[in-house]
Amino acid sequence: MWSKHQIRLARKMELEPLLSRRGLRLRPIQNGNTLVEDYPDLVVKQHYWTWPERNMAGNTIDFFAKVLHLSFNQAMQIIMEGQEEAGK
């Protein structure tokens, strides 16, 4: 259903705008990082996130799958819709 090109794009989509649209509370911290206040100690920067408390990290797709517990297809749909909105 998803092309390799779309998957590569989705992995590198910036997290902050996507998470803001989903209503997550974000707070800028040092070095261009952003704390996701809804999840203790979870930090995002561009298309990468880390959650040391749970020993987890990954790209944009991983965030939606591992943190928000969505399927790969659900994650891709949300991310690709976010990309379309960003392009407008």
Side-chain angles (χ1 to χ4, degrees), residues 1-7 72-74 76-77 80:
M1 177 174 185
W2 302 102
S3 71
K4 289 181 182 182
H5 176 71
Q6 288 172 312
I7 295 168
F72 175 79
N73 283 327
Q74 290 170 318
M76 284 296 296
Q77 186 171 356
M80 296 312 285

Side-chain angles (χ1 to χ4, degrees), residues 42-55:
L42 195 154
V43 175
V44 300
K45 183 171 187 173
Q46 297 174 349
H47 61 271
Y48 184 79
W49 61 276
T50 183
W51 199 356
E53 180 179 284
R54 300 235 175 141
N55 199 28

Side-chain angles (χ1 to χ4, degrees), residues 13 18 21 76-87:
M13 278 289 292
L18 293 169
R21 280 189 208 102
M76 284 296 296
Q77 186 171 356
I78 291 166
I79 295 166
M80 296 312 285
E81 287 170 2
Q83 180 183 15
E84 289 173 16
E85 288 180 25

Side-chain angles (χ1 to χ4, degrees), residues 33-45:
N33 295 318
T34 301
L35 181 68
V36 181
E37 292 185 332
D38 301 275
Y39 299 92
D41 297 324
L42 195 154
V43 175
V44 300
K45 183 171 187 173

